[in-house]
Structures are given as structure tokens and as C-alpha cells.
Amino acid sequence: MHAPNGTNSDAMEVIIYLIEYMMRIKSILVSQPAPSESSPYLEIAKKEKIKIDFRPFIHVEGVDNKELRTQKIDLTQYTGIIFTSKNAIDHYFRLAEELRFAVPDTMRYICQSEAIANYLQKHIVYRKRKISFGEKNFSDLLPLFKKFPSEKYLLPSSDLLSPDIVKTMEASNVDWKRAIMYRTVCSDLTDINIKDYDMLIFFSPQGIKSLQQNFPDFKQEDTKIGVFGPTTSAAAEEAGLKVDLMAPTKETPSMTMALEKYIKVLHK
């Protein structure tokens, strides 16, 4: 995009140039914690000469042992634990410590992915433990439940649980119970001037909810909205927002790839 020169700078060209300039993305707020120095976001910011800020719109708060008891959860009654996230691991062992429950070496661990299984090393001696994991999706764990059907399983989770997890557990025919051990809550963002940003990027429906809670008078107007995943997109549209950028797609499987492509098209 170039400013009109002296030879052809008639009124219409000036107007078109100004409109195009106004459409440029100059500042972006990503609703996640700041990444490492090698992040693709920082490469985009440098290459396109734009400002990209990071701020978590949501955070996790653990429940206390009193609340766990109100759910009628007795940690000593379970011989297997199902972990779907690192947060679930941290809060399970936190509550076990608070309740003075020494997790036995015989405990069976079923983890949604290898990365989650490896994270167990933060809390236990990994070697010689009964640890199994799936490929990626929770439904990949079904063969493991069929392999180890006699355990009594506990599923530590947040207050938000995917219906796919419930569906898979119901199909597993194993003895299991869910325990809410942490909650996803909206962060306080009232120190931010949300209209300072030309674009907002969200990764979960809870992020959209946090926008509404922190900025009840927010009107999208010219602000661009980027979302990751169909549930986030649906939440944005339900909130009356127009989605300008969607990821993942076949061509752009990550948000940074989608963002870079979007900015290049917009700024050409």
C-alpha cells in the first residue's frame, strides 16, 4: 500500500488511500500469556511492524478440600486416575497433599497424550509406575479402558467438561467418577483499554465470556476478531461478534499461520 504521489493524487485516490490505511492492523491483543522469545507472533510483529500484546483473559483457580468433600469424593477409593491435562495433574496432587493422602505406587494412570503422561514426572517417580496414554483425542483411550476394566477410575477436571469425554466414558463400561478440582474463571482486565487494539484473538468460549464480563459496553465496530476452533467461533457469533479470522484450516493449521496470511492480504 503506497501513498498517492503528486502526479495522480486526486481527491478520490486520497480517500481510497486513507480508507485502506485505516483498515490496516497496527495493534493486536492475543488472549494468552506472553510466549517465549522464539514465538512466531514476535516474528510477525517484527516483519509487519505491528504491536502484538498478550494478556490471559481467563485463569484457573483450584477448589479446596472442603469443596471436594461436598462432591463426596474420597481419594482413597480409586485405583486409577484419568488425566486430560497438566492442570488436572497439578490439582489432583495438590489436593492429595492437602488431604494427606499418599498416592500409592500401585495407582494406574491413564493419560490423554504422551505429553501429559510425561508431565507426571513432576509429581511421581515415573519409572515402574502403571502409566498408559493415548494418541491425542480422548476417544483414543477406549482401548485402554478395555485393557484395564477392573480399576475404579477418578477423572479430575475443571468445571467445564467436554461432552465427548462423558460420551467416551459412558461407552467404556468402567467404574468412574468425575471430580471438579479446579475452575476456569474470567481474569480482571479492567486496566486495559480494549479499543486501543485493532484486533482481538481468542482461543476459547471462556475468553469471549471474559470480554463480555470485563467490557460490557464493548462494540466491535472496526475491531477485527480472530478465533481458534469452532466452539470459540460459535461463542463469538452468539455474543454478536463478526469473526474476521478463523483457525485452524487446512491451509493454516495454527493461529500464527492464519494471522500472518490475513495480515499480508490486508496490507498488500
Side-chain angles (χ1 to χ4, degrees):
M1 189 184 303
H2 302 286
N5 56 45
T7 59
N8 61 355
S9 57
D10 56 29
M12 185 56 70
E13 188 174 353
V14 170
I15 291 170
I16 291 172
Y17 167 75
L18 290 173
I19 291 172
E20 289 177 340
Y21 183 78
M22 291 292 289
M23 289 174 62
R24 289 176 65 93
I25 300 294
K26 298 176 285 295
S27 58
I28 299 173
L29 180 60
V30 179
S31 60
Q32 284 189 330
S36 65
E37 292 182 3
S38 59
S39 167
Y41 283 110
L42 304 184
E43 290 296 317
I44 294 171
K46 184 178 180 180
K47 191 185 301 182
E48 299 296 334
K49 296 181 174 57
I50 58 178
K51 181 177 81 164
I52 301 181
D53 290 339
F54 301 87
R55 181 70 175 267
F57 274 44
I58 56 176
H59 65 277
V60 167
E61 290 183 356
V63 308
D64 58 26
N65 55 64
K66 289 181 182 178
E67 185 173 347
L68 190 67
R69 289 193 186 99
T70 64
Q71 299 176 49
K72 299 182 179 178
I73 300 294
D74 180 355
L75 299 185
T76 66
Q77 297 304 302
Y78 300 92
T79 59
I81 307 293
I82 305 164
F83 287 127
T84 59
S85 70
K86 295 176 182 179
N87 275 328
I89 292 175
D90 285 340
H91 288 286
Y92 170 78
F93 284 98
R94 172 184 62 81
L95 285 164
E97 185 177 353
E98 288 180 15
L99 293 165
R100 298 182 181 178
F101 169 60
V103 181
D105 294 347
T106 56
M107 183 69 76
R108 182 174 300 285
Y109 301 97
I110 304 291
C111 301
Q112 185 166 330
S113 68
E114 185 176 6
I116 294 170
N118 287 335
Y119 188 74
L120 277 169
Q121 295 177 85
K122 179 180 176 182
H123 297 280
I124 64 171
V125 178
Y126 196 87
R127 192 166 165 268
K128 295 185 179 179
R129 294 296 192 273
K130 296 188 287 187
I131 302 170
S132 304
F133 51 84
E135 290 295 322
K136 181 181 178 183
N137 298 319
F138 191 82
S139 58
D140 297 335
L141 301 182
L142 266 177
L144 295 175
F145 295 131
K146 290 180 180 179
K147 187 176 180 180
F148 308 112
S150 60
E151 308 287 5
K152 186 174 182 180
Y153 290 101
L154 184 68
L155 174 65
S157 78
S158 76
D159 53 324
L160 306 168
L161 188 65
S162 167
D164 292 338
I165 293 178
V166 177
K167 185 179 178 181
T168 299
M169 291 311 303
E170 288 175 347
S172 70
N173 293 319
V174 296
D175 186 353
W176 73 286
K177 187 168 184 178
R178 174 192 180 189
I180 296 175
M181 294 190 171
Y182 54 102
R183 301 183 185 282
T184 303
V185 298
C186 298
S187 301
D188 183 359
L189 307 172
T190 51
D191 59 306
I192 293 176
N193 184 351
I194 202 71
K195 295 308 288 184
D196 281 349
Y197 297 94
D198 300 314
M199 186 173 201
L200 308 175
I201 296 180
F202 298 94
F203 295 85
S204 70
Q206 293 74 40
I208 301 293
K209 179 182 176 183
S210 181
L211 173 72
Q212 293 177 295
Q213 182 173 306
N214 279 280
F215 309 102
D217 298 325
F218 174 77
K219 291 181 175 56
Q220 182 175 358
E221 297 175 341
D222 295 328
T223 305
K224 308 297 183 187
I225 300 292
V227 298
F228 190 89
T231 58
T232 311
S233 179
E237 290 172 3
E238 188 177 334
L241 301 174
K242 174 181 172 290
V243 173
D244 300 281
L245 172 64
M246 174 73 185
T249 66
K250 276 188 177 181
E251 296 77 20
T252 55
S254 71
M255 176 53 78
T256 50
M257 290 175 68
L259 179 62
E260 185 170 24
K261 182 179 179 181
Y262 179 79
I263 290 174
K264 282 181 178 177
V265 171
L266 198 64
H267 289 189
K268 67 179 180 180

